[in-house]
Amino acid sequence: MSAKNLKYYESKHDLQFSTNTALIMVIGYKINKEPGPGYDFMLSLDTDIRDYHLINFFEANMAFRSGHNEEALAILNGFDLSKVELRFDHYNYMMGNILLRKLDPNAAVYFNKFLASTEFRSYKKETTYKLAESFMVQGDLDEFRLYKELAEDTDGDELVERDREATYDSELDYDPNPNLLKARLLISGGYLPSGFQELQKFNRVGSTFLPYLTDYQLLLGEYYFKTTNYSLATQHLKQAIEMSEDEDYQLASAAAVLLGKVYDSMSSSESQRYYELAIALYEDEYYESIESFAKSRLSQMTVGQ
C-alpha cells in the first residue's frame, strides 16, 4: 500500500486506522531489511501519521539504517519521552548509535544508560561492543579492549541479528584500525567527505597487516560507490576481493556483495556474478546481511528472467 492509499483510508476511516496500517508497513520494511525504501515511504506519509511516537521512532531508525544520520538525529532530538507511557530504553540505544556515527563522545553516555536500564538480554552484546568502539574512536585503546572482552563474554540474544553480528566483531583476533573504524562509521552515516579524510589518514604504505589493507580498499569502494564514481568503486572492491578471498574474514564476501550493488546501479548483468561470489565466500559466522542480500537479489533476478 502506498502513502496515497493511506490518505484514502484516512478519509474513509480515521487517523488511528491509517497509523496502524503505516506501522505494519514500516515493520515489513524492517523485516525485509529495506531501510532505504522504508525511509522513503516514511517521508511520503502525512505529518499527522509521522507524529505518532512509534512511527516517529521507526522513522529515525530507518534514516539511521539508510545512511541519513543527521536526519535520524533531528528526528530523535524532537522525540518527547514525556509523552511515552511506557519506559522506552531503545531511545538511549538509538541515540548512542547515531552519535557514534558522528564520532561524538556522548555516545558512551547513552550506551551506558541503555545497558543500565534495560531488563532484557536483547542488544546488550551489541551495545557493549559499540561502547568499546566509542572508546576506540576517542583514542582510548585500553578501554576499547576492556569492553571488547566484556562484549565477548556477554550472552547475546540468539534471535537478535545485531547481537549475532557483535559475536563476530568481539571475537575478531585483531583490534580495528582507528582511522578505518572512524571512516566506516562516518561513511555509514552519510558523512562522506569526513569519512574520506579518515581514509587519507590511514598509512597504507607503513602497514603490512592484510585485514587493514583489505578494509582500506573495501571502504574506498564504498565511498566511491556512494559518490557514484562506479569506475573507482569497482577497481577498489575487486582489489579487496583479490587480497582476502582466501582469508578467514568477511571482508572479501562483503566486498563482493557491494560490488554486486555497484553493477546493479550500472544496470550491468555482472552483478549476478558477484552476488554468487559473495555467497561462495560466505561463512556462517559472518554478518548474515551479506548472504541474505545476495540471495535476495539473485532470487529477484530469477523471477525477472
Side-chain angles (χ1 to χ4, degrees):
M1 181 182 292
S2 66
K4 181 179 179 181
N5 295 137
L6 279 175
K7 291 177 183 178
Y8 169 80
Y9 274 108
E10 185 176 344
S11 67
K12 295 297 181 182
H13 300 275
D14 55 30
L15 179 61
Q16 186 63 48
F17 181 89
S18 299
T19 301
N20 291 342
T21 305
L23 184 58
I24 291 170
M25 291 189 66
V26 170
I27 292 172
Y29 282 118
K30 281 189 64 64
I31 291 172
N32 292 327
K33 301 177 184 177
E34 298 177 321
Y39 181 58
D40 291 340
F41 170 74
M42 303 288 295
L43 293 178
S44 72
L45 296 175
D46 283 346
T47 303
D48 288 343
I49 296 177
R50 291 170 66 191
D51 281 346
Y52 181 60
H53 278 83
L54 193 52
I55 293 248
N56 202 232
F57 179 78
F58 274 124
E59 183 177 359
N61 183 281
M62 292 285 186
F64 170 79
R65 299 292 176 199
S66 57
H68 299 280
N69 206 63
E70 281 300 304
E71 291 84 344
L73 180 60
I75 295 166
L76 217 57
N77 277 335
F79 197 84
D80 189 352
L81 285 173
S82 67
K83 294 182 178 179
V84 181
E85 295 180 0
L86 300 174
R87 195 177 74 188
F88 198 57
D89 296 331
H90 271 64
Y91 173 88
N92 293 319
Y93 164 84
M94 194 76 255
M95 183 62 85
N97 275 286
I98 290 171
L99 293 179
L100 180 59
R101 285 191 175 175
K102 290 173 64 71
L103 312 186
D104 189 320
N106 288 314
V109 174
Y110 288 94
F111 287 142
N112 277 314
K113 283 182 179 180
F114 173 76
L115 291 171
S117 62
T118 185
E119 299 175 352
F120 304 101
R121 188 170 60 175
S122 302
Y123 301 101
K124 275 191 173 182
K125 190 178 189 76
E126 180 213 3
T127 302
T128 305
Y129 186 78
K130 293 296 185 183
L131 184 56
E133 288 188 331
S134 73
F135 287 114
M136 171 65 84
V137 300
Q138 301 307 320
D140 194 334
L141 181 59
D142 289 338
E143 287 295 289
F144 167 79
R145 288 174 173 167
L146 171 64
Y147 280 92
K148 179 185 177 185
E149 185 175 345
L150 284 174
E152 185 175 359
D153 293 340
T154 299
D155 290 332
D157 188 334
E158 294 181 358
L159 298 178
V160 174
E161 184 176 350
R162 305 300 171 194
D163 278 347
R164 297 195 296 270
E165 291 175 351
T167 298
Y168 174 85
D169 290 326
S170 63
E171 293 179 358
L172 275 178
D173 55 3
Y174 65 88
D175 295 333
N177 175 275
N179 294 122
L180 297 179
L181 174 59
K182 291 176 185 178
R184 168 166 286 105
L185 291 167
L186 290 166
I187 290 172
S188 296
Y191 308 109
L192 300 179
S194 298
F196 187 69
Q197 288 176 6
E198 289 297 333
L199 287 175
Q200 290 179 311
K201 294 176 185 177
F202 173 66
N203 184 8
R204 63 189 177 99
V205 176
S207 177
T208 58
F209 190 50
L210 186 59
Y212 290 171
L213 295 172
T214 306
D215 203 15
Y216 173 74
Q217 296 297 331
L218 172 57
L219 287 167
L220 275 176
E222 183 175 358
Y223 168 78
Y224 284 119
F225 171 51
K226 290 186 174 181
T227 54
T228 67
N229 189 332
Y230 299 141
S231 176
L232 284 177
T234 56
Q235 174 184 321
H236 288 289
L237 292 171
K238 286 179 179 178
Q239 193 165 348
I241 295 169
E242 291 171 4
M243 292 172 69
S244 64
E245 59 186 335
D246 295 324
E247 301 297 319
D248 293 329
Y249 304 111
Q250 70 178 17
L251 298 170
S253 186
V257 80
L258 183 53
L259 192 49
K261 294 179 183 181
V262 174
Y263 280 118
D264 271 344
S265 298
M266 299 167 65
S267 300
S268 170
S269 60
E270 277 290 285
S271 60
Q272 179 175 345
R273 171 187 172 189
Y274 285 98
Y275 289 134
E276 290 171 347
L277 179 60
I279 294 169
L281 294 171
Y282 184 81
E283 300 289 343
D284 287 343
E285 68 270 17
Y286 296 171
Y287 279 22
E288 296 162 32
S289 57
I290 297 172
E291 183 185 44
S292 64
F293 186 89
K295 286 185 173 180
S296 175
R297 283 295 296 123
L298 290 173
S299 177
Q300 291 169 7
M301 290 175 186
T302 301
V303 171
Q305 288 177 354

